[in-house]
Amino acid sequence: MSTAVDDPVLSPAALAVLTERYLRRDADGRVCESPGQMMDRVAGFVAQAEDVYRSGSADTWAERFSTLLRAREFLPNSPTLMNAGTGAGVLSGCFVLPIEDSLDFIFTTLRTTALLHQVGAGTGFSFSHLRPHDDLVRSTGARASGPVSFIELFDTATQVIRLGGRRRGANMAVLDVHHPDIGEFIRAKNDPTVLPTFNLSVGVTDEFMSAATADRPHPLIDPRTGRVLRMVSARTLLEAIAEQAWRNGEPGLLFLDTINRANPLLALGPVEATNPCGEVPLAANESCNLGSIALPRFLTNEHLDEPRLAEAVRIAVRFLDNVIDVATYPAPQLATAARATRKIGLGVMGLAETLAALGLPYDSEVAVQYTGRLMSRIAQWAHAASRELAAERGAFPLFARSSWATRPEAPMRNAQVTSIAPTGTIALFAGTSAGIEPLFALAYTRHVLGRDFAQIEPLFEQVATKRGVWSPAVAAEIADSGTADHPDIPVDLRRRFVTAHEIDPYWHVRMQAAVQRHTDAAVAKTVNLPESADIDEVRNVFRHAWRAGCKGVTVYRSGSRPDQVLRHPHQNATATGIHVHGVYTGGMPVPGRT
């Protein structure tokens, strides 16, 4: 296997994060492996699954996996990088855990949550089954405190656990729009310092969205009795969600009917929640084993090397399937759920950089169409790889009860294969743009681990230099504004390197929808809005995303929170990073989240 001599060249920010949180340390707390050795460790451990299936040499696959990781053509989610081969066996990025209406059930789930956060995994929950605030508890004669109080309980526990871990815990709380406490839930993070470890999403239905459009009444239903407690205006409720999202980016929306129309195991019941960043809708106790292909690594002479990309997809699918087998789980029901459906989530990062390199403005029809075609091919390659594994190792155990069994193609190894994660930290390691987000800015400051790292988009500098327009004056203008919107820069370069806050919200949604059409699970994406945006624009984004077939939507209005981890040059330099619905304010993902 490779040695540390050919370690990947990382940015100062990436190296700082790796050193602080990912690289192994000896008994005295000193770092005892290099980034390349970390990748070798992960590759060798994950390849051990090959011996379980007697499908080939574990050493051979360890070499293939390591080559892919060291080239940073593919990287798995953070828990795999942190924990594989260290004795801390949880390798999944996130889990969705069930919460039912009893104290015993709630605190059992809380214990499992603590064990998962201890090793760096995130958790998602639907609190929709809990009785509403002030409902009678017949066994004691007391009054229920409601879902929000239990979200606060889980948040407090997460903050305690994070003190002993290598990264902060992250949670998703979902509440169905029919729950009587939905108003309290919507306002739960009115103070942005409250519930810092939680992202909030309202689970909405087609019926609710239609009712809001037509201004019809909407029922609030007691989940314990099924009785309608009162009727409210659907339009007013959606306005309240939009207003709160305008204020600080939360809550987002999950389109539950869209999610369950694509649910391959709907026969087992509807999906009600997602992981913290929203890219993987999961049933109770299921986990997401994620990894992402770095698209710019496959650029050759201003085009994508598709044969090489297809081979990387095939190897990455095998890697992620292996992760399920070599991982350990802190509760038996988690292992059972993971192995019953064998869901994985292969995605991409660096889309914005790739489009810029190809000369395609992110906010253009040609870019949206190109991305749709590319994601279609990646999905085809990934599904083919899963079918190859099924022929070699067998289909996932619940295959016969899935929608895959009704199709004419060969069986699948994995119930879900593709998902688009935000790729917060692994995109930093890969040295590329995050997920499918547009470029945040051409010059920005990244605040991580209490330090500021200034950066200018290297591809822009490279292209501008090649075009003969790079100069100290241009560099100063870019550093001052973060954009290419300057008279010294040709119009075609300004379009090619358009940034997140210059893009009309329409194009954010168009791009998300184009990718969603070719993604099994869901897509983590932020619709960035300028500071001047009003509440009507937020509401319009919600409706457009629903109609376009997105499975969820998150908005963030620039400057609406004081603590952005990525900042334009003119923004407050004392800000610290906190997540907003799975992504950092400004559209960049949570560090440590895949």
Side-chain angles (χ1 to χ4, degrees):
M1 201 176 291
S2 305
T3 67
V5 173
D6 58 343
D7 264 354
V9 178
L10 303 174
S11 70
L15 192 57
V17 174
L18 267 177
T19 302
E20 179 69 20
R21 295 177 176 166
Y22 289 72
L23 301 181
R24 293 186 71 174
R25 294 176 180 269
D26 61 21
D28 296 320
R30 294 172 299 201
V31 172
C32 61
E33 69 179 357
S34 70
Q37 289 168 336
M38 175 194 73
M39 294 168 181
D40 293 343
R41 162 174 57 80
V42 172
F45 187 77
V46 172
Q48 291 177 13
E50 301 296 331
D51 289 338
V52 174
Y53 296 105
R54 298 186 175 89
S55 54
S57 166
D59 289 343
T60 298
W61 280 104
E63 186 68 36
R64 292 181 185 177
F65 293 157
S66 181
T67 298
L68 199 65
L69 297 179
R70 280 177 168 266
R72 292 177 293 163
E73 295 174 349
F74 162 79
L75 290 173
N77 53 212
S78 286
T80 302
L81 292 174
M82 287 178 173
N83 298 334
T86 68
V90 174
L91 307 184
S92 302
C94 304
F95 293 76
V96 164
L97 302 181
I99 294 183
E100 298 296 339
D101 193 37
S102 80
L103 279 179
D104 182 63
F105 201 108
I106 291 168
F107 277 88
T108 298
T109 296
L110 183 61
R111 176 184 181 276
T112 303
T113 301
L115 294 174
L116 291 171
H117 288 176
Q118 186 178 35
V119 290
T123 44
F125 316 89
S126 170
F127 288 85
S128 302
H129 297 283
L130 300 188
R131 67 189 69 196
H133 177 77
D134 219 29
D135 194 34
L136 181 65
V137 180
R138 295 184 183 277
S139 61
T140 65
R143 296 286 174 175
S145 56
V148 172
S149 68
F150 286 102
I151 297 172
E152 292 169 349
L153 170 69
F154 277 69
D155 178 74
T156 299
T158 301
Q159 292 188 66
V160 171
I161 295 299
R162 71 189 276 191
L163 297 178
R166 288 182 286 179
R167 62 174 185 165
R168 65 155 167 248
N171 300 294
M172 169 69 82
V174 179
L175 196 70
D176 191 282
V177 74
H178 295 88
H179 197 284
D181 288 0
I182 191 63
E184 182 185 5
F185 179 81
I186 291 167
R187 297 186 299 272
K189 295 185 73 170
N190 192 42
D191 177 350
T193 66
V194 171
L195 302 178
T197 73
F198 266 93
N199 298 323
L200 304 183
S201 284
V202 178
V204 299
T205 60
D206 291 346
E207 175 192 17
F208 170 77
M209 295 299 293
S210 296
T213 300
D215 199 15
R216 295 196 304 266
H218 170 72
L220 300 184
I221 302 170
D222 187 329
R224 181 176 63 85
T225 65
R227 184 166 58 92
V228 174
L229 297 185
R230 61 187 183 276
M231 302 294 290
V232 299
S233 164
R235 178 172 293 177
T236 299
L237 188 53
L238 185 62
E239 287 281 350
I241 298 169
E243 180 178 358
Q244 194 62 35
W246 175 85
R247 290 187 184 282
N248 66 7
E250 294 191 76
L253 296 185
L254 292 181
F255 301 117
L256 295 177
D257 289 328
T258 305
I259 287 171
N260 281 298
R261 278 192 289 271
N263 181 357
L265 287 155
L266 189 57
L268 303 181
V271 166
E272 298 178 319
T274 74
N275 68 324
C277 299
E279 74 270 24
V280 192
L282 294 168
N285 295 312
E286 287 187 322
S287 52
C288 47
N289 304 287
L290 306 175
S292 298
I293 298 285
L295 292 174
R297 299 284 171 185
F298 298 89
L299 286 167
T300 304
N301 298 324
E302 297 188 349
H303 76 276
L304 276 178
D305 186 338
E306 292 201 1
R308 194 160 60 88
L309 178 58
E311 178 64 9
V313 168
R314 186 179 75 86
I315 296 173
V317 167
R318 190 181 193 99
F319 178 102
L320 293 174
D321 188 67
N322 283 6
V323 166
I324 297 170
D325 292 312
V326 299
T328 58
Y329 303 85
Q333 65 270 24
L334 303 180
T336 299
R339 292 165 183 160
T341 60
R342 303 194 68 85
K343 290 180 178 178
I344 61 174
L346 179 65
V348 299
M349 52 186 164
L351 174 65
E353 182 184 345
T354 300
L355 293 176
L358 297 174
L360 305 177
Y362 189 98
D363 55 340
S364 67
E365 188 65 34
V366 66
V368 170
Q369 295 297 328
Y370 175 86
T371 301
R373 291 192 299 271
L374 173 62
M375 296 311 300
S376 175
R377 290 193 292 275
I378 289 174
Q380 291 171 10
W381 298 329
H383 289 169
S386 183
R387 291 189 175 99
E388 289 174 10
L389 284 172
E392 180 182 318
R393 301 175 172 181
F396 64 91
L398 293 181
F399 175 80
R401 301 183 66 182
S402 75
S403 61
W404 291 108
T406 66
R407 304 183 186 186
E409 298 94 341
M412 296 283 288
R413 176 65 172 168
N414 315 96
Q416 287 179 176
V417 184
T418 55
S419 174
I420 304 298
T423 70
T425 307
I426 64 171
L428 176 64
F429 296 163
T432 190
S433 55
I436 65 162
E437 298 288 356
L439 297 173
F440 172 69
L442 301 186
Y444 57 88
T445 299
R446 183 187 296 269
H447 185 79
V448 292
L449 302 175
R451 298 169 59 188
D452 285 339
F453 296 90
Q455 183 169 334
I456 288 182
E457 172 57 48
L459 180 61
F460 177 80
E461 183 177 351
Q462 175 187 331
V463 173
T465 300
K466 186 176 180 179
R467 291 280 296 273
V469 298
W470 187 255
S471 68
V474 168
E477 290 176 345
I478 296 295
D480 183 60
S481 70
T483 77
D485 189 18
H486 302 288
D488 293 338
I489 300 173
V491 172
D492 67 307
L493 280 191
R494 298 183 213 172
R495 289 286 298 122
R496 185 171 173 178
F497 287 93
V498 65
T499 60
H501 295 93
E502 298 175 288
I503 294 173
D504 188 279
Y506 168 82
W507 290 106
H508 283 276
V509 177
R510 281 288 311 279
M511 188 63 79
Q512 180 176 341
V515 174
Q516 181 62 77
R517 282 192 287 274
H518 306 289
T519 302
D520 297 336
V523 176
K525 173 82 180 73
T526 298
V527 177
N528 295 100
L529 300 173
E531 190 170 356
S532 59
D534 59 25
I535 297 170
D536 284 346
E537 290 182 74
V538 176
R539 186 182 64 249
N540 289 338
V541 167
F542 285 170
R543 287 176 173 163
H544 182 39
W546 169 57
R547 289 170 175 151
C550 298
K551 291 184 179 179
V553 62
T554 302
V555 302
Y556 179 72
R557 183 174 61 90
S558 181
S560 62
R561 297 182 79 153
D563 36 19
Q564 300 183 187
V565 78
L566 293 188
R567 300 185 300 276
H568 287 281
H570 61 276
Q571 289 176 319
N572 179 5
T574 63
T576 57
I578 99 173
H579 58 285
V580 175
H581 201 69
V583 292
Y584 268 119
T585 52
M588 299 303 290
V590 179
R593 291 298 81 158
T594 60

